[in-house]
């Protein structure tokens, strides 16, 4: 049900986009970066990390990690299982075990990355959604979103509307779902955590 013009606040949007930089941050133990928690649940946590220098990631035994580039030129990860992963292109999501030792080397200056962590087996998934060509993205209840590029509009099922831009985050309550749309012709990109 959509509210009529006289009562456009009848169903106010229960969630509001906010700049990720406005979230409180915590320094890493090794001093190599800071983390801002976007959403934390019983079975998963979404954060944005500022990596400011080369160094080791903390280990999280029993946890699966997913990271993706938000800002900056990229970072190279050397994993103790012998793999090297390059986080250099926005929209690509890399997954690895928190059991591994990880050394990070910045490609060209500080970066900001999206970081989803959850126990094995998967309790949720991180998805990259790009535009142009996106007519509408259905977002389930309880989802968390980080806007990497562009401008997006959100419409809740009761007609609530909101706008969010590059660097904004949005966390939907468990009872709210809706549809996201990007501006026509834009090079928009966002990351969505979809709870299972």
């Amino acid at each position: 049900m959509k509210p009529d013009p006289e009562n456009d606040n009848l169903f106010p949007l229960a969630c509001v986009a906010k700049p990720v930089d406005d979230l409180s941050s915590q320094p890493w133990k090794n001093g190599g970066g800071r983390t801002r928690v976007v959403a934390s649940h019983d079975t998963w946590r979404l954060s944005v990390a500022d990596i400011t220098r080369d160094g080791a990631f903390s280990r999280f035994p029993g946890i699966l990690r997913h990271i993706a580039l938000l800002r900056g030129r990229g970072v190279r990860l050397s994993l103790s299982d012998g793999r090297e992963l390059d986080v250099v292109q926005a929209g690509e999501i890399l997954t690895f075990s928190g059991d591994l030792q990880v050394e990070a080397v910045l490609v060209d200056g500080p970066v900001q990355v999206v970081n989803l962590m959850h126990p094995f087996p998967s309790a949720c998934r991180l998805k990259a959604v790009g535009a142009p060509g996106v007519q509408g993205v259905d977002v389930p209840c309880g989802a968390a979103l980080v806007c990497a590029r562009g401008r997006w509009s959100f419409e809740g099922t009761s007609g609530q509307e909101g706008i969010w831009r590059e660097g904004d985050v949005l966390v939907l309550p468990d009872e709210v779902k809706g549809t996201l749309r990007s501006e026509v012709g834009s090079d928009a990109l966002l990351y969505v955590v979809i709870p299972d």
Side-chain angles (χ1 to χ4, degrees), residues 51 67 73-77 85-88 104-107 111 113:
I51 305 174
I67 71 167
R73 301 294 298 255
V75 61
R76 177 167 291 116
L77 305 181
L85 303 176
D86 291 333
V87 186
V88 294
V105 177
L106 296 169
V107 172
V111 297
V113 296

Side-chain angles (χ1 to χ4, degrees), residues 10 23 28 35 38 41 59 66 76 79 82-83 89 97-98 116 138 145 153 165 171 185:
L10 187 60
L23 300 176
W28 292 4
T35 296
V38 176
H41 293 268
R59 291 183 65 219
H66 312 267
R76 177 167 291 116
L79 282 63
R83 291 183 295 154
Q89 184 170 335
S97 170
L116 171 66
D138 291 329
L145 308 101
S153 64
R165 298 168 181 83
V171 180

Side-chain angles (χ1 to χ4, degrees), residues 22-148:
D22 285 359
L23 300 176
S24 61
S25 66
Q26 297 178 333
W28 292 4
K29 290 179 183 177
N30 68 6
R34 300 186 73 85
T35 296
R36 294 175 172 88
V37 176
V38 176
S40 185
H41 293 268
D42 291 342
T43 56
W44 58 274
R45 186 183 89 157
L46 177 68
S47 62
V48 171
D50 294 291
I51 305 174
T52 55
R53 63 179 174 86
D54 299 348
F57 280 11
S58 296
R59 291 183 65 219
F60 292 95
I63 299 295
L64 194 61
R65 301 185 66 171
H66 312 267
I67 71 167
L69 187 65
L70 191 58
R71 296 177 184 155
R73 301 294 298 255
V75 61
R76 177 167 291 116
L77 305 181
S78 296
L79 282 63
S80 58
D81 66 0
R83 291 183 295 154
E84 293 210 354
L85 303 176
D86 291 333
V87 186
V88 294
Q89 184 170 335
E92 291 183 352
I93 299 167
L94 301 178
T95 301
F96 57 93
S97 170
D99 292 288
L100 299 173
Q101 292 180 338
V102 179
E103 290 288 331
V105 177
L106 296 169
V107 172
D108 185 15
V111 297
Q112 197 170 59
V113 296
V114 176
N115 182 29
L116 171 66
M117 298 193 298
H118 59 81
F120 293 101
S122 177
C124 57
R125 57 193 167 102
L126 181 63
K127 180 179 178 182
V129 177
V134 174
Q135 299 301 315
V137 179
D138 291 329
V139 182
C141 297
L145 308 101
V146 180
C147 183

Side-chain angles (χ1 to χ4, degrees), residues 1-18:
M1 163 178 16
K2 290 194 175 186
D4 57 64
E6 291 179 331
N7 297 303
D8 61 1
N9 64 347
L10 187 60
F11 300 104
L13 190 59
C15 48
V16 177
K18 64 178 85 172

